Amino acid sequence: MRSPIRSVALNALFLDPGVSGGPETYLRQLAPALVSEYPGTRFTVVTTRRGAAALERDGWRDQVELLTLPVDEGQRLRRALAEQALLPSLARRRDWDLVHSLATVAPIRAGAPSVITLHDVTFFRHRTFGLVTTVGMRQITARAARRASALITAAGAVRDEICSVLGLDPSAFSIVPHGVGRPADVEPAPEAELRERHALGNSRVVLCVAAKRPHKNQELLIRALPQLPNDVVLVLAGHPEPYEQLLRTLAQEYGVAARVRFPGYVADDELETLWRLAGCFAFPTLAEGFGLPVLEAMQRAVPVACSDIPVLREVCGDAVLYFDPHDPGSAAAAIVAALDDDSLRARGREHASHYSWRDAAHGTFEAYERALRDRA
């Protein structure tokens, strides 16, 4: 009889708290669910110095072993050394049953059976990072994925794209949908205070939550804004990156700078208030691995208008309104319709209720068992 899985290392060397976006949410929601559902397995989170400090402040040492490597996200060469050399050495010394890399990039030779969550291959098709980083990530991702004992992704449409780009066998993948992003369990900041801070007045809010990167395509919303009612303000929340300067320039060119807010990264309590203020959540992305912010919006009964791309069709079904992510007029029409469609609130909340991190933990652990079984 096959022995149970005793120990799993979760590779979180990507973690830059507050900046890592979807992969950070994935770690913060999936790991506690795994610990809760599989108490007989010891989980070790291997992460950066800043990542370990943040997780320790949040009480993670009560749930998992935190193992800090001498690196922080942004130190590309040091991270590569830590991921490709130090982590496999630890895996051999500690005799982990497997290493699960949570954010696409993984050790090519992990020192133990390797499971990789491939969120997407956006960086193969869209400019999201610098040239050197992109080339390095492409090489490492392709080689590590081909050597992995099991692969996980969150949607069939994403699996098909990954297989097309990397030439992988679809049967190597487990499709494990995520839960609903960050739960609505934070005490929101005072609404009046937030309206004043961001000069929202009595305006209706169209909210977009995403890092400022070209493939997130926030520029479409700025181009659509002149076609939206004059009492609508566009709030672009998310970590600022160089693409934000293009967005600011575009807002000036379109004469809508006074109707666009760039709050950058916002704390959870402020984000919860922004969800409550939003009359519509708009998500114009060109490529996505799952779409966690869309489910977060639906869970909070915020009407959604989003890009008509295969992965969002798969995840969102008929609970949102879709638009062409290259057509400002299409986006404006969908946003206006969502602002006036209260039926979307109930449909969205009901649809989001079908996604849970408990189910994600079960699907992930099944991938672990499959990896060890196939290896045997």
Side-chain angles (χ1 to χ4, degrees):
M1 181 177 178
R2 179 174 48 83
S3 62
I5 299 174
R6 299 167 293 111
S7 58
V8 174
L10 301 177
N11 173 14
L13 287 169
F14 64 87
L15 183 56
D16 190 0
V19 179
S20 307
E24 180 174 354
T25 301
Y26 180 62
L27 164 68
R28 285 182 173 273
Q29 300 302 324
L30 178 65
L34 285 167
V35 170
S36 174
E37 295 299 308
Y38 299 98
T41 300
R42 180 172 180 79
F43 291 90
T44 301
V45 176
V46 184
T47 189
T48 59
R49 289 173 294 206
R50 287 199 295 266
L55 295 177
E56 185 162 10
R57 284 194 301 271
D58 293 340
W60 276 54
R61 286 200 187 277
D62 297 335
Q63 306 178 66
V64 300
E65 179 187 13
L66 286 178
L67 191 59
T68 308
L69 295 190
V71 63
D72 279 310
E73 178 59 28
Q75 300 174 321
R76 301 300 185 188
L77 290 178
R78 290 175 67 90
R79 175 187 167 176
L81 177 63
E83 199 156 47
Q84 301 302 322
L86 296 182
L87 179 56
S89 176
L90 282 168
R92 288 187 290 268
R93 292 206 314 267
R94 290 183 168 235
D95 195 27
W96 288 322
D97 288 332
L98 57 87
V99 174
H100 179 189
S101 295
L102 298 174
T104 300
V105 179
I108 295 170
R109 297 177 182 273
S114 173
V115 176
I116 306 173
T117 296
L118 290 170
H119 292 285
D120 56 64
V121 283
T122 300
F123 56 91
F124 280 78
R125 295 191 163 181
H126 298 273
R127 182 185 166 196
T128 59
F129 305 106
L131 178 61
V132 173
T133 298
T134 299
V135 170
M137 286 179 64
R138 288 175 179 177
Q139 292 295 320
I140 291 170
T141 298
R143 294 176 65 187
R146 292 186 183 111
R147 295 185 61 89
S149 301
L151 300 170
I152 296 171
T153 198
V158 178
R159 176 203 58 197
D160 295 344
E161 182 179 25
I162 292 170
C163 291
S164 173
V165 170
L166 297 182
L168 299 174
D169 182 355
S171 67
F173 282 83
S174 296
I175 306 299
V176 183
H178 300 332
V180 188
R182 289 171 289 193
D185 58 0
V186 175
E187 183 66 28
E191 180 176 323
E193 182 180 304
L194 199 68
R195 279 192 176 274
E196 182 178 358
R197 182 181 309 138
H198 297 299
L200 297 175
N202 294 318
S203 300
R204 289 186 289 173
V205 171
V206 171
L207 176 64
C208 178
V209 180
K212 310 299 197 319
R213 294 177 181 168
H215 77 279
K216 295 296 186 181
N217 195 33
Q218 288 97 331
E219 63 189 270
L220 179 79
L221 300 180
I222 293 175
R223 297 179 193 277
L225 191 51
Q227 301 177 54
L228 297 180
N230 291 331
D231 67 337
V232 167
V233 168
L234 174 63
V235 177
L236 300 177
H239 181 65
E241 299 197 25
Y243 178 62
E244 182 173 308
Q245 187 53 52
L246 182 149
L247 298 175
R248 290 180 178 272
T249 300
L250 197 64
Q252 292 285 350
E253 292 175 356
Y254 274 71
V256 294
R259 298 172 60 195
V260 185
R261 305 290 182 269
F262 295 91
Y265 172 79
V266 295
D268 287 349
D269 62 337
E270 291 194 11
L271 181 57
E272 205 58 48
T273 302
L274 286 174
W275 285 123
R276 295 187 178 203
L277 294 178
C280 170
F281 176 69
F283 200 53
T285 184
L286 297 173
E288 206 65 28
F290 185 69
L292 284 172
V294 177
L295 286 182
E296 289 181 23
M298 288 194 284
Q299 183 194 47
R300 293 161 174 82
V302 178
V304 173
C306 67
S307 296
D308 192 356
I309 58 176
V311 63
L312 294 184
R313 282 276 180 182
E314 180 177 340
V315 172
C316 302
D318 64 354
V320 303
L321 300 181
Y322 295 98
F323 56 76
D324 180 345
H326 303 284
D327 183 350
S330 173
I335 291 168
V336 169
L339 284 167
D340 294 329
D341 189 349
D342 285 339
S343 69
L344 283 177
R345 299 181 184 276
R347 290 216 311 271
R349 175 169 281 174
E350 194 279 332
H351 186 82
S353 70
H354 296 290
Y355 292 90
S356 78
W357 288 108
R358 181 175 181 269
D359 289 345
H362 292 170
T364 300
F365 207 84
E366 287 171 7
Y368 295 168
E369 293 173 328
R370 173 184 175 185
L372 297 183
R373 182 173 63 248
D374 290 351
R375 183 181 178 88

